[in-house]
């Protein structure tokens, strides 16, 4: 099954502030989300954040968070940025 990944406006603003190498990691994560869905156990520190929310580390300092509702094909990335400011 192919998933659709949407990036919320707030995450887009965070994306603009990322260093180039971290931005490339985010795009790799998005490709993995599209291909394999919201459960990304191969990504560093992947974990559920509660009902329908997940996150993983892009590197030591930066994380990405997303929402997925079971039965849907849409995954929404709602945060990209530093661990310190992550909404969890």
């Amino acid at each position: 099954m192919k998933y659709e990944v949407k990036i919320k406006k707030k995450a887009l603003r965070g994306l603009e502030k990322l260093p180039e190498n971290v931005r490339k990691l985010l795009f790799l994560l998005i490709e993995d989300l599209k291909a394999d869905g919201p459960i990304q156990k191969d990504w560093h520190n992947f974990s559920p954040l509660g009902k329908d929310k997940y996150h993983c580390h892009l590197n030591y300092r930066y994380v990405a968070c997303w929402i997925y509702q079971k039965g849907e094909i849409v995954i929404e990335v709602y945060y990209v940025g530093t661990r310190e400011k992550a909404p969890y």
Side-chain angles (χ1 to χ4, degrees):
M1 179 200 297
K2 206 68 161 138
Y3 293 84
E4 179 183 343
V5 177
K6 294 183 178 181
I7 303 175
K8 296 192 104 171
K9 283 184 183 180
K10 184 176 179 181
L12 283 173
R13 286 193 296 270
L15 173 66
E16 294 170 359
K17 298 174 186 174
L18 294 178
E20 185 64 31
N21 63 325
V22 177
R23 198 174 302 156
K24 288 178 183 177
L25 289 171
L26 176 65
F27 292 135
L28 289 174
L29 172 64
I30 288 171
E31 289 305 311
D32 285 349
L33 289 169
K34 286 179 181 177
D36 304 323
I39 309 301
Q40 294 294 324
K41 292 182 181 179
D42 290 339
W43 280 84
H44 187 64
N45 286 4
F46 166 80
S47 67
L49 296 174
K51 183 170 172 45
D52 303 330
K53 292 185 178 184
Y54 305 90
H55 97 297
C56 72
H57 288 223
L58 299 170
N59 68 8
Y60 178 76
R61 184 166 182 214
Y62 295 96
V63 300
C65 302
W66 60 92
I67 297 172
Y68 169 75
Q69 292 181 352
K70 195 171 184 172
E72 298 285 323
I73 61 164
V74 176
I75 298 169
E76 281 189 348
V77 177
Y78 66 90
Y79 177 80
V80 177
T82 62
R83 293 183 308 142
E84 295 81 21
K85 295 182 181 178
Y88 53 76

